[in-house]
């Protein structure tokens, strides 16, 4: 929940308290206003408690961090393969270990719903874009894996 939402809920609850105190002295109009403000604050807090989004947010953040580390390991493996630093059995061993790590990350990842997918898609492609250009992808790769300047895609 954002700070703005929390501040709005606290303000609404405070308003309900003030209106309740005024209603004790001033009459029916303030009683109605206090009841409406208290109901609105109750509904806001009930929605916050029912959705309980914070654990889900932290789970997605943790999974994303684990996937980032995994991609860095894969990238390092690709660079080592390209530079011919490893023999075939070492490559297979590291690949298998990375596949097991990926399986573990997927196994403990929170489920993705349509809304989560749409948010991730928008973050990765942007509005109106088809994805990353070859230059943007090359900038993320180690020097030995980048395409030579002027090479066809």
């Amino acid at each position: 929940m954002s700070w703005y939402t929390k501040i709005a809920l606290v303000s609404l609850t405070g308003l309900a308290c003030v209106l309740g105190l005024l209603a004790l002295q001033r009459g029916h109009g303030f009683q109605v206003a206090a009841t409406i403000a208290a109901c609105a604050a109750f509904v806001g807090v009930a929605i916050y408690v029912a959705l309980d989004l914070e654990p889900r947010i932290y789970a997605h953040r943790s999974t994303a961090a684990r996937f980032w580390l995994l991609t860095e390991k894969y990238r390092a493996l690709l660079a080592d393969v390209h530079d011919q630093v490893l023999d075939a059995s070492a490559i297979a061993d590291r690949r298998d270990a990375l596949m097991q790590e990926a399986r573990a990350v997927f196994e403990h990842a929170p489920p993705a719903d349509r809304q989560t997918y749409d948010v991730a898609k928008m973050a990765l492609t942007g509005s109106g874009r088809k994805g990353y250009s070859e230059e943007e992808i090359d900038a993320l790769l180690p020097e030995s894996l980048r395409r030579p300047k002027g090479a066809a895609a």
Side-chain angles (χ1 to χ4, degrees), residues 64-132:
R66 291 177 69 197
F67 272 125
W68 183 259
L69 179 60
L70 195 58
T71 59
E72 291 299 314
K73 289 178 181 181
Y74 267 114
R75 193 167 70 158
L77 176 60
L78 288 173
D80 288 345
V81 169
H82 183 269
D83 296 341
Q84 298 177 348
V85 176
L86 302 171
D87 63 354
S89 65
I91 293 169
D93 289 344
R94 284 182 54 186
R95 181 206 58 211
D96 291 344
L98 288 171
M99 288 175 65
Q100 289 301 317
E101 271 189 71
R103 182 197 54 75
V105 173
F106 276 116
E107 192 174 284
H108 294 98
D113 54 12
R114 185 67 183 172
Q115 179 187 7
T116 304
Y117 172 79
D118 289 340
V119 168
K121 181 180 175 186
M122 188 63 144
L124 292 173
T125 60
S127 58
R129 289 182 57 183
K130 299 289 185 207
Y132 290 103

Side-chain angles (χ1 to χ4, degrees), residues 6 8 28 35 38 50 52 66 85 95 127 137 143 145 148-149 152:
K6 290 178 182 178
H28 184 70
T35 302
D52 196 22
R66 291 177 69 197
V85 176
R95 181 206 58 211
S127 58
I137 293 171
E143 190 71 37
L145 294 178
K149 299 269 189 228

Side-chain angles (χ1 to χ4, degrees), residues 15-40:
L15 176 65
C17 290
V18 169
L19 289 174
L21 290 173
L22 289 174
L24 291 174
Q25 299 173 359
R26 306 247 170 133
H28 184 70
F30 283 101
Q31 290 173 347
V32 171
T35 302
I36 291 171
C39 287

